[in-house]
Amino acid sequence: MKSVYHRLVMVIFVFVLTGAIFFYAREYSASPDVKTYTKTLTIDVFDSLANHQGIQSGWFAKIVLDKFNMKLNIIAPNITGGGDTMYQTRTAAGELGDLIICNGNNSYLRELVAAGLVMDMSGLLQDKPIMQYELAIRALNDPVSDTAIYAVPSEICLKNCLEHSENEEPIYGPYLRYDLYTSIGSPRMDTLEDLLPVLKKMQEVSPVSEAGNPVYGFSLFKDWDGNMMNAAKQPACFYGYEEYGFVLYKVDGSDYQDILDENSIYQRILKFYFDANQMGLLDPDSLNQNYTDVYNKCATGDVLFSCWPWLGKSAYNTDARTEQGYGFMLVPIEDMQIMLKGCLPLGDAGKVIAIGSNAEDPERLAAFIDWLYSPEGIYANSAQPVTGTAGPEGLTWEMTDKGPALTDFGISALSNENPAVPDEWGGGTWNAGISRLNFSSISLIDTAPNGYPYFYTLWDSYKNPDPPALDLIWQEDMQAKNSLDYLMKHGKYLVCPGINYQTDGESSEIATLRSQCRSIITDYSWKMVFARNEDTFYALQKEMQNAAASLGYDQVLEEDLRNATAQNELRAEAVALLSE
């Protein structure tokens, strides 16, 4: 682990140079030049973040084919259910993919390099526009090599690490079908548990969706489970908690919790979902569906609650619905302190992109990576309603004398109307063509070379002088312009400073113990949520605690607590430096 002195020097280094990076990036931010490639390549993209598997289709596929004569075959562990198992299997076989999107934290990148699975890109990226982010790239790679570039971090931002990186909607939050919530009198909710009777009344008002399906308060999926059940971790973010291994800790350093402690917020949320299931509020398909299944259910009104705006709101809130006053909106819980992610001047080492060592045309893949970090690539790759970019210029938006503005097609596409894409842009529907990489190269709160944020919802042209009925009702009720404005006015947020924390990685013994324990924790968590009765719930809780303990859980927990504490200390140092 880095010494306190070393960590302090790194923090100072980051903040002294942030201003220099800012101006450097503004001066040299042109899109990369792309040469003609004669041979069509289909490349395997091992993507631990993807929620779709197979060949990329539609308008994004056409852009990639036109620019690079390349097709993307996405291999998604989230879809296959393999998760870490698929990663370990492919790693052991010596072949992850041609392009690799995965965790680069701590020992992960070092292991990929030691196994010869990733390529040194330093010569390939030299003199390319992506090197405007050299400080972030070097910070990721220096612990592995003084000269090589094996991976590039995601979410690089050229703003202060104490500034939040979110637009008008937080990444996490309690989003409800607001039309149904107001129809039952907009009851006050003091705690998370108060959601349940509210959702039950909403379900009683609307028991069947417009698609003719039963309506549930919650619809969950297992795709993103890791050290714990992901669905149980997400509501903890409503209270300022973040995850480090088997620890949930408040990002202000005020609390550190063992997730297996019976009084932890993790156990509280498992009981919350158990109670929801007992009340008939939990979709029984949750055990067997994936993220895409849940998204589709939100789109047809089968679900009443979403932990994220980019699920419920993005899927359901079409222009036609919001004009009638229907849709998902943030509904406050009185004791919430929603975690807002701070900007990451050095990027996110937990999500990186690399070139596989056996790739057929590494020069072309390097050019593609470079493009993903260019303005053109950012606009195209991060297109998404509510929390993304507008998409490709010329199709969804255009530059006017008053700044960037959505085209009629863009308004339709970003309002969930899923319009047909013109043939010259690849045909098919808009939704079918959205990038499936699920990889954000640059923080979208950052400013593009045209002087405007990548987030289209922050454009002057998007600030609708005549908002739909749903927004007007919510704004009047909340006395706020948008969700973020509400959180700021009422102090219901905690910013997690955007500081990377790296260790030398964990020992093989700890890694083995962690793998065994996480399997026990996730399996038992789902069993507890769907337990027959309360006695069974608590019996399963005890079994989970005992089984994990017998596998060395306490040994792993001790290391996670040490690292979570050190990470918050590093953040505190950053806060202190910026406060001087």
Side-chain angles (χ1 to χ4, degrees):
M1 187 183 299
K2 292 182 173 68
S3 68
V4 172
Y5 172 79
H6 187 114
R7 291 186 285 119
L8 183 57
V9 169
M10 177 58 73
V11 173
I12 295 172
F13 181 62
V14 170
F15 293 119
V16 167
L17 292 184
T18 295
I21 301 169
F22 180 87
F23 290 109
Y24 180 70
R26 288 298 172 269
E27 185 176 356
Y28 298 100
S29 51
S31 296
D33 293 328
V34 176
K35 69 178 185 180
T36 301
Y37 299 97
T38 56
K39 179 182 178 181
T40 302
L41 285 185
T42 298
I43 65 164
D44 288 339
V45 184
F46 180 88
D47 191 344
S48 61
L49 306 177
N51 297 305
H52 300 265
Q53 179 151 286
I55 298 291
Q56 170 74 48
S57 62
W59 59 265
F60 185 75
K62 187 174 190 303
I63 292 174
V64 174
L65 187 64
D66 289 348
K67 296 187 77 66
F68 302 99
N69 200 9
M70 192 166 72
K71 298 178 182 180
L72 306 177
N73 178 41
I74 298 173
I75 300 166
N78 285 343
I79 297 300
T80 62
D84 277 353
T85 301
M86 175 182 278
Y87 175 84
Q88 296 296 341
T89 299
R90 293 180 70 90
T91 298
E95 181 70 65
L96 262 182
D98 302 307
L99 195 67
I100 300 165
I101 297 174
C102 66
N103 187 354
N105 263 327
N106 303 327
S107 62
Y108 282 95
L109 182 57
R110 187 177 289 107
E111 289 170 358
L112 290 175
V113 172
L117 293 172
V118 291
M119 182 178 295
D120 176 9
M121 297 183 284
S122 53
L124 299 171
L125 297 181
Q126 184 179 2
D127 299 327
K128 289 188 182 296
I130 194 174
M131 293 310 291
Q132 66 187 284
Y133 304 113
E134 184 172 3
L135 181 62
I137 294 170
R138 285 262 50 97
L140 172 66
N141 288 272
D142 278 351
V144 181
S145 170
D146 292 335
T147 57
I149 297 174
Y150 291 109
V152 181
S154 62
E155 298 283 355
I156 301 172
C157 188
L158 303 177
K159 294 181 181 291
N160 186 298
C161 76
L162 298 186
E163 294 184 48
H164 70 79
S165 61
E166 305 178 33
N167 64 359
E168 296 182 348
E169 302 293 338
I171 294 178
Y172 314 98
Y175 286 81
L176 276 67
R177 276 283 304 280
Y178 198 70
D179 50 300
L180 296 176
Y181 173 71
T182 56
S183 76
I184 63 169
S186 305
R188 174 187 169 103
M189 296 181 291
D190 291 318
T191 68
L192 181 69
E193 286 73 17
D194 292 336
L195 266 171
L196 298 181
V198 169
L199 289 169
K200 189 63 183 177
K201 289 178 182 177
M202 292 167 60
Q203 184 188 49
E204 290 168 353
V205 170
S206 179
V208 179
S209 72
E210 58 198 60
N213 301 321
V215 169
Y216 295 100
F218 307 94
S219 192
L220 312 178
F221 56 93
K222 292 183 175 182
D223 302 13
W224 301 347
D225 288 355
N227 288 303
M228 62 192 79
M229 178 182 175
N230 183 266
K233 180 248 177 175
Q234 298 305 320
C237 299
F238 301 172
Y239 293 93
Y241 285 90
E242 180 59 295
E243 169 190 358
Y244 197 107
F246 296 138
V247 174
L248 284 171
Y249 64 94
K250 272 206 169 183
V251 297
D252 63 359
S254 63
D255 189 31
Y256 298 84
Q257 296 187 0
D258 164 9
I259 61 171
L260 294 192
D261 188 299
E262 61 187 22
N263 295 315
S264 70
I265 192 168
Y266 182 77
Q267 298 298 320
R268 173 186 172 188
I269 295 168
L270 291 180
K271 182 60 164 56
F272 170 78
Y273 284 133
F274 164 80
D275 290 337
N277 188 49
Q278 296 295 302
M279 296 169 67
L281 289 169
L282 184 55
D283 183 355
D285 291 341
S286 297
L287 290 163
N288 303 305
Q289 61 191 3
N290 60 33
Y291 172 83
T292 301
D293 297 327
V294 175
Y295 186 94
N296 292 336
K297 287 183 176 183
C298 287
T300 53
D302 299 0
V303 187
L304 302 174
F305 175 86
S306 171
C307 287
W308 311 290
W310 37 269
L311 179 57
K313 201 170 184 184
S314 291
Y316 186 80
N317 290 21
T318 63
D319 274 356
R321 286 170 174 151
T322 57
E323 288 292 351
Q324 297 178 66
Y326 304 148
F328 282 85
M329 298 294 280
L330 181 84
V331 177
I333 299 171
E334 292 303 315
D335 66 346
M336 70 185 186
Q337 277 189 302
I338 291 177
M339 184 187 73
L340 304 180
K341 291 194 172 183
C343 294
L344 290 159
L346 296 184
D348 184 356
K351 301 166 188 170
V352 304
I353 190 165
I355 298 175
S357 56
N358 296 325
E360 178 179 344
D361 191 343
E363 182 182 357
R364 194 184 316 192
L365 294 181
F368 177 66
I369 291 174
D370 184 42
W371 177 76
L372 288 176
Y373 285 76
S374 74
E376 182 184 54
I378 295 164
Y379 282 121
N381 180 55
S382 297
Q384 182 173 286
V386 183
T387 58
T389 64
E393 183 177 6
L395 176 63
T396 52
W397 67 280
E398 59 191 4
M399 184 58 72
T400 71
D401 55 1
K402 296 181 180 179
L406 297 179
T407 61
D408 289 341
F409 178 88
I411 292 171
S412 176
L414 297 167
S415 299
N416 292 312
E417 294 175 0
N418 197 23
V421 175
D423 288 341
E424 62 267 28
W425 285 91
T429 64
W430 168 258
N431 288 349
I434 289 174
S435 171
R436 304 308 185 192
L437 296 177
N438 198 23
F439 178 83
S440 296
S441 56
I442 302 300
S443 173
L444 303 185
I445 196 69
D446 208 355
T447 304
N450 60 26
Y452 290 84
Y454 285 107
F455 279 128
Y456 72 90
T457 56
L458 299 182
W459 293 350
D460 293 338
S461 62
Y462 188 80
K463 295 173 183 176
N464 192 346
D466 186 22
L470 177 66
D471 288 33
L472 289 173
I473 294 167
W474 186 91
Q475 289 169 358
E476 177 65 24
D477 291 346
M478 300 297 166
Q479 290 296 292
K481 294 180 293 185
N482 52 55
S483 299
L484 201 61
D485 184 44
Y486 177 86
L487 297 179
M488 295 294 174
K489 284 181 175 178
H490 294 272
K492 295 186 178 298
Y493 69 96
L494 286 176
V495 175
C496 179
I499 298 296
N500 271 326
Y501 172 75
Q502 295 278 6
T503 73
D504 292 330
E506 57 191 26
S507 67
S508 58
E509 179 187 9
I510 292 293
T512 299
L513 296 178
R514 183 185 302 282
S515 178
Q516 294 170 343
C517 290
R518 78 199 318 184
S519 178
I520 291 291
I521 292 167
T522 54
D523 288 349
Y524 269 93
S525 294
W526 282 97
K527 290 177 182 178
M528 289 166 65
V529 166
F530 283 94
R532 183 173 62 256
N533 53 44
E534 196 167 271
D535 287 344
T536 305
F537 175 90
Y538 286 114
L540 288 168
Q541 181 188 66
K542 184 60 68 176
E543 287 181 26
M544 173 172 62
Q545 293 167 334
N546 291 338
S550 71
L551 293 172
Y553 174 83
D554 289 343
Q555 190 176 342
V556 184
L557 177 66
E558 181 180 358
E559 183 157 317
D560 289 344
L561 281 168
R562 183 170 59 250
N563 283 314
T565 303
Q567 180 166 281
N568 263 347
E569 288 174 352
L570 185 61
R571 289 169 177 160
E573 291 167 6
V575 172
L577 282 170
L578 290 179
S579 300
E580 292 178 356

